[in-house]
Amino acid sequence: QVQLVESGGGSVQAGESLRLSCAASGSVYRNNYVAWFRQAPGKEREGVAAVYTYTGESYYADSVKGRFTISRDNAKNTVYLQMNNLTPEDTAMYYCAAGGGPQLLAYAYVTWGQGTRVTVSS
């Protein structure tokens, strides 16, 4: 049973925007932290942003503050990541995850999607 499905990745130029979507099953979405992580080739998985679906309270890594916005639509059990002013350093596989906390620690998240690739060229 697929519980998290990401979409919206693609290839863009530096300075452009993308919006990622994470569609979740109700059991993992409801009253839970849902987060976005990313992993670039040869690098460790990095927490990007998280949202507590009940309240909408959001948390961000310093590297994306002011450029990325996480939001959720409780009617659709979907979490979004709006990414603006993208740079080549944002190139990575982006994963949606659920079940952890606001500290954006990958080991704390128990349910993961398959990922969607984002490529930013200069």
Side-chain angles (χ1 to χ4, degrees), residues 87-113:
T87 73
E89 288 69 37
D90 295 314
T91 295
M93 184 71 82
Y94 282 72
Y95 298 91
C96 180
Q103 296 84 6
L104 294 173
L105 299 173
Y107 68 78
Y109 281 76
V110 296
T111 304
W112 292 82

mmCIF file of all heavy atoms in Angstrom, residues 87-113:
data_model
loop_
_atom_site.group_PDB
_atom_site.id
_atom_site.type_symbol
_atom_site.label_atom_id
_atom_site.label_comp_id
_atom_site.label_asym_id
_atom_site.label_seq_id
_atom_site.Cartn_x
_atom_site.Cartn_y
_atom_site.Cartn_z
ATOM 1 N N THR A 87 18.526 27.332 -7.079
ATOM 2 C CA THR A 87 19.932 27.400 -7.464
ATOM 3 C C THR A 87 20.417 25.989 -7.787
ATOM 4 O O THR A 87 19.783 25.004 -7.391
ATOM 5 C CB THR A 87 20.792 27.975 -6.339
ATOM 6 O OG1 THR A 87 20.911 27.007 -5.300
ATOM 7 C CG2 THR A 87 20.184 29.251 -5.756
ATOM 8 N N PRO A 88 21.546 25.866 -8.468
ATOM 9 C CA PRO A 88 22.074 24.513 -8.747
ATOM 10 C C PRO A 88 22.308 23.693 -7.475
ATOM 11 O O PRO A 88 22.237 22.456 -7.520
ATOM 12 C CB PRO A 88 23.381 24.809 -9.477
ATOM 13 C CG PRO A 88 23.126 26.108 -10.169
ATOM 14 C CD PRO A 88 22.285 26.895 -9.211
ATOM 15 N N GLU A 89 22.539 24.352 -6.353
ATOM 16 C CA GLU A 89 22.744 23.639 -5.091
ATOM 17 C C GLU A 89 21.465 22.974 -4.579
ATOM 18 O O GLU A 89 21.517 22.143 -3.666
ATOM 19 C CB GLU A 89 23.277 24.601 -4.021
ATOM 20 C CG GLU A 89 24.729 25.041 -4.213
ATOM 21 C CD GLU A 89 24.910 25.961 -5.416
ATOM 22 O OE1 GLU A 89 24.005 26.796 -5.675
ATOM 23 O OE2 GLU A 89 25.942 25.841 -6.106
ATOM 24 N N ASP A 90 20.336 23.321 -5.162
ATOM 25 C CA ASP A 90 19.075 22.678 -4.783
ATOM 26 C C ASP A 90 18.833 21.385 -5.565
ATOM 27 O O ASP A 90 17.850 20.679 -5.316
ATOM 28 C CB ASP A 90 17.907 23.634 -5.025
ATOM 29 C CG ASP A 90 17.965 24.867 -4.143
ATOM 30 O OD1 ASP A 90 18.211 24.717 -2.929
ATOM 31 O OD2 ASP A 90 17.767 25.983 -4.675
ATOM 32 N N THR A 91 19.705 21.074 -6.490
ATOM 33 C CA THR A 91 19.567 19.857 -7.271
ATOM 34 C C THR A 91 19.686 18.636 -6.367
ATOM 35 O O THR A 91 20.663 18.487 -5.631
ATOM 36 C CB THR A 91 20.648 19.803 -8.365
ATOM 37 O OG1 THR A 91 20.427 20.863 -9.292
ATOM 38 C CG2 THR A 91 20.612 18.467 -9.093
ATOM 39 N N ALA A 92 18.682 17.780 -6.399
ATOM 40 C CA ALA A 92 18.646 16.615 -5.515
ATOM 41 C C ALA A 92 17.402 15.792 -5.821
ATOM 42 O O ALA A 92 16.512 16.230 -6.553
ATOM 43 C CB ALA A 92 18.613 17.045 -4.047
ATOM 44 N N MET A 93 17.358 14.607 -5.223
ATOM 45 C CA MET A 93 16.113 13.852 -5.157
ATOM 46 C C MET A 93 15.382 14.340 -3.911
ATOM 47 O O MET A 93 15.982 14.392 -2.830
ATOM 48 C CB MET A 93 16.393 12.370 -5.064
ATOM 49 C CG MET A 93 15.145 11.503 -5.077
ATOM 50 S SD MET A 93 14.364 11.483 -6.695
ATOM 51 C CE MET A 93 15.370 10.239 -7.493
ATOM 52 N N TYR A 94 14.142 14.703 -4.079
ATOM 53 C CA TYR A 94 13.342 15.212 -2.976
ATOM 54 C C TYR A 94 12.348 14.135 -2.528
ATOM 55 O O TYR A 94 11.624 13.571 -3.348
ATOM 56 C CB TYR A 94 12.599 16.474 -3.404
ATOM 57 C CG TYR A 94 13.486 17.691 -3.420
ATOM 58 C CD1 TYR A 94 14.457 17.842 -4.416
ATOM 59 C CD2 TYR A 94 13.395 18.676 -2.447
ATOM 60 C CE1 TYR A 94 15.301 18.942 -4.435
ATOM 61 C CE2 TYR A 94 14.225 19.789 -2.461
ATOM 62 C CZ TYR A 94 15.178 19.914 -3.453
ATOM 63 O OH TYR A 94 16.011 21.012 -3.463
ATOM 64 N N TYR A 95 12.348 13.893 -1.223
ATOM 65 C CA TYR A 95 11.507 12.864 -0.644
ATOM 66 C C TYR A 95 10.504 13.475 0.331
ATOM 67 O O TYR A 95 10.834 14.385 1.090
ATOM 68 C CB TYR A 95 12.348 11.845 0.126
ATOM 69 C CG TYR A 95 13.330 11.092 -0.711
ATOM 70 C CD1 TYR A 95 14.631 11.553 -0.883
ATOM 71 C CD2 TYR A 95 12.975 9.890 -1.332
ATOM 72 C CE1 TYR A 95 15.551 10.860 -1.646
ATOM 73 C CE2 TYR A 95 13.891 9.182 -2.095
ATOM 74 C CZ TYR A 95 15.171 9.675 -2.241
ATOM 75 O OH TYR A 95 16.069 8.984 -3.004
ATOM 76 N N CYS A 96 9.335 12.925 0.321
ATOM 77 C CA CYS A 96 8.327 13.248 1.313
ATOM 78 C C CYS A 96 8.359 12.166 2.388
ATOM 79 O O CYS A 96 8.543 10.985 2.076
ATOM 80 C CB CYS A 96 6.958 13.287 0.628
ATOM 81 S SG CYS A 96 5.590 13.677 1.717
ATOM 82 N N ALA A 97 8.195 12.582 3.637
ATOM 83 C CA ALA A 97 8.227 11.627 4.731
ATOM 84 C C ALA A 97 7.229 12.041 5.804
ATOM 85 O O ALA A 97 6.910 13.224 5.946
ATOM 86 C CB ALA A 97 9.638 11.553 5.316
ATOM 87 N N ALA A 98 6.785 11.071 6.571
ATOM 88 C CA ALA A 98 5.799 11.339 7.618
ATOM 89 C C ALA A 98 6.153 10.606 8.894
ATOM 90 O O ALA A 98 6.816 9.563 8.864
ATOM 91 C CB ALA A 98 4.406 10.917 7.145
ATOM 92 N N GLY A 99 5.707 11.155 9.998
ATOM 93 C CA GLY A 99 5.817 10.448 11.254
ATOM 94 C C GLY A 99 6.924 10.896 12.170
ATOM 95 O O GLY A 99 7.101 10.316 13.247
ATOM 96 N N GLY A 100 7.678 11.916 11.758
ATOM 97 C CA GLY A 100 8.773 12.365 12.602
ATOM 98 C C GLY A 100 8.404 13.589 13.417
ATOM 99 O O GLY A 100 7.326 13.658 13.989
ATOM 100 N N GLY A 101 9.317 14.548 13.452
ATOM 101 C CA GLY A 101 9.067 15.740 14.233
ATOM 102 C C GLY A 101 9.620 16.978 13.568
ATOM 103 O O GLY A 101 10.097 16.912 12.435
ATOM 104 N N PRO A 102 9.564 18.103 14.240
ATOM 105 C CA PRO A 102 9.979 19.367 13.624
ATOM 106 C C PRO A 102 11.481 19.534 13.468
ATOM 107 O O PRO A 102 11.930 20.464 12.800
ATOM 108 C CB PRO A 102 9.406 20.411 14.583
ATOM 109 C CG PRO A 102 9.358 19.716 15.907
ATOM 110 C CD PRO A 102 9.023 18.296 15.597
ATOM 111 N N GLN A 103 12.248 18.640 14.077
ATOM 112 C CA GLN A 103 13.694 18.794 14.012
ATOM 113 C C GLN A 103 14.293 18.359 12.677
ATOM 114 O O GLN A 103 15.487 18.502 12.463
ATOM 115 C CB GLN A 103 14.364 17.997 15.144
ATOM 116 C CG GLN A 103 14.022 18.481 16.542
ATOM 117 C CD GLN A 103 12.727 17.896 17.042
ATOM 118 O OE1 GLN A 103 12.130 17.040 16.398
ATOM 119 N NE2 GLN A 103 12.273 18.371 18.194
ATOM 120 N N LEU A 104 13.493 17.851 11.795
ATOM 121 C CA LEU A 104 13.948 17.456 10.459
ATOM 122 C C LEU A 104 15.082 16.438 10.519
ATOM 123 O O LEU A 104 16.084 16.557 9.796
ATOM 124 C CB LEU A 104 14.366 18.688 9.645
ATOM 125 C CG LEU A 104 13.233 19.656 9.300
ATOM 126 C CD1 LEU A 104 13.790 20.922 8.644
ATOM 127 C CD2 LEU A 104 12.225 19.009 8.374
ATOM 128 N N LEU A 105 14.913 15.453 11.360
ATOM 129 C CA LEU A 105 15.885 14.371 11.468
ATOM 130 C C LEU A 105 15.350 13.159 10.716
ATOM 131 O O LEU A 105 14.287 12.626 11.037
ATOM 132 C CB LEU A 105 16.125 14.027 12.938
ATOM 133 C CG LEU A 105 16.692 15.182 13.778
ATOM 134 C CD1 LEU A 105 16.735 14.805 15.246
ATOM 135 C CD2 LEU A 105 18.069 15.579 13.283
ATOM 136 N N ALA A 106 16.105 12.720 9.727
ATOM 137 C CA ALA A 106 15.608 11.659 8.855
ATOM 138 C C ALA A 106 15.292 10.379 9.620
ATOM 139 O O ALA A 106 14.301 9.702 9.328
ATOM 140 C CB ALA A 106 16.620 11.380 7.748
ATOM 141 N N TYR A 107 16.113 10.054 10.626
ATOM 142 C CA TYR A 107 15.901 8.784 11.323
ATOM 143 C C TYR A 107 14.587 8.773 12.102
ATOM 144 O O TYR A 107 14.079 7.709 12.471
ATOM 145 C CB TYR A 107 17.077 8.472 12.248
ATOM 146 C CG TYR A 107 17.229 9.392 13.439
ATOM 147 C CD1 TYR A 107 16.429 9.257 14.573
ATOM 148 C CD2 TYR A 107 18.192 10.397 13.448
ATOM 149 C CE1 TYR A 107 16.571 10.097 15.662
ATOM 150 C CE2 TYR A 107 18.335 11.253 14.532
ATOM 151 C CZ TYR A 107 17.530 11.087 15.632
ATOM 152 O OH TYR A 107 17.678 11.932 16.699
ATOM 153 N N ALA A 108 14.033 9.923 12.364
ATOM 154 C CA ALA A 108 12.791 10.002 13.132
ATOM 155 C C ALA A 108 11.555 9.780 12.268
ATOM 156 O O ALA A 108 10.471 9.567 12.803
ATOM 157 C CB ALA A 108 12.698 11.342 13.842
ATOM 158 N N TYR A 109 11.704 9.822 10.962
ATOM 159 C CA TYR A 109 10.569 9.670 10.061
ATOM 160 C C TYR A 109 10.451 8.225 9.613
ATOM 161 O O TYR A 109 11.435 7.629 9.180
ATOM 162 C CB TYR A 109 10.713 10.616 8.866
ATOM 163 C CG TYR A 109 10.311 12.024 9.214
ATOM 164 C CD1 TYR A 109 11.154 12.836 9.965
ATOM 165 C CD2 TYR A 109 9.075 12.521 8.845
ATOM 166 C CE1 TYR A 109 10.764 14.122 10.319
ATOM 167 C CE2 TYR A 109 8.682 13.808 9.194
ATOM 168 C CZ TYR A 109 9.530 14.600 9.941
ATOM 169 O OH TYR A 109 9.136 15.861 10.296
ATOM 170 N N VAL A 110 9.243 7.679 9.717
ATOM 171 C CA VAL A 110 9.081 6.239 9.524
ATOM 172 C C VAL A 110 8.493 5.860 8.174
ATOM 173 O O VAL A 110 8.633 4.726 7.740
ATOM 174 C CB VAL A 110 8.203 5.656 10.649
ATOM 175 C CG1 VAL A 110 8.896 5.816 11.984
ATOM 176 C CG2 VAL A 110 6.830 6.317 10.683
ATOM 177 N N THR A 111 7.824 6.792 7.521
ATOM 178 C CA THR A 111 7.182 6.494 6.245
ATOM 179 C C THR A 111 7.753 7.421 5.186
ATOM 180 O O THR A 111 7.794 8.643 5.395
ATOM 181 C CB THR A 111 5.661 6.680 6.337
ATOM 182 O OG1 THR A 111 5.151 5.867 7.396
ATOM 183 C CG2 THR A 111 4.984 6.280 5.036
ATOM 184 N N TRP A 112 8.167 6.854 4.066
ATOM 185 C CA TRP A 112 8.837 7.607 3.013
ATOM 186 C C TRP A 112 8.206 7.343 1.661
ATOM 187 O O TRP A 112 7.745 6.232 1.378
ATOM 188 C CB TRP A 112 10.319 7.218 2.950
ATOM 189 C CG TRP A 112 11.089 7.656 4.146
ATOM 190 C CD1 TRP A 112 11.166 7.035 5.359
ATOM 191 C CD2 TRP A 112 11.896 8.830 4.254
ATOM 192 N NE1 TRP A 112 11.954 7.750 6.206
ATOM 193 C CE2 TRP A 112 12.421 8.856 5.564
ATOM 194 C CE3 TRP A 112 12.213 9.869 3.376
ATOM 195 C CZ2 TRP A 112 13.262 9.875 6.014
ATOM 196 C CZ3 TRP A 112 13.055 10.880 3.819
ATOM 197 C CH2 TRP A 112 13.562 10.876 5.122
ATOM 198 N N GLY A 113 8.219 8.387 0.833
ATOM 199 C CA GLY A 113 7.834 8.209 -0.550
ATOM 200 C C GLY A 113 9.017 7.781 -1.392
ATOM 201 O O GLY A 113 10.134 7.619 -0.874
#
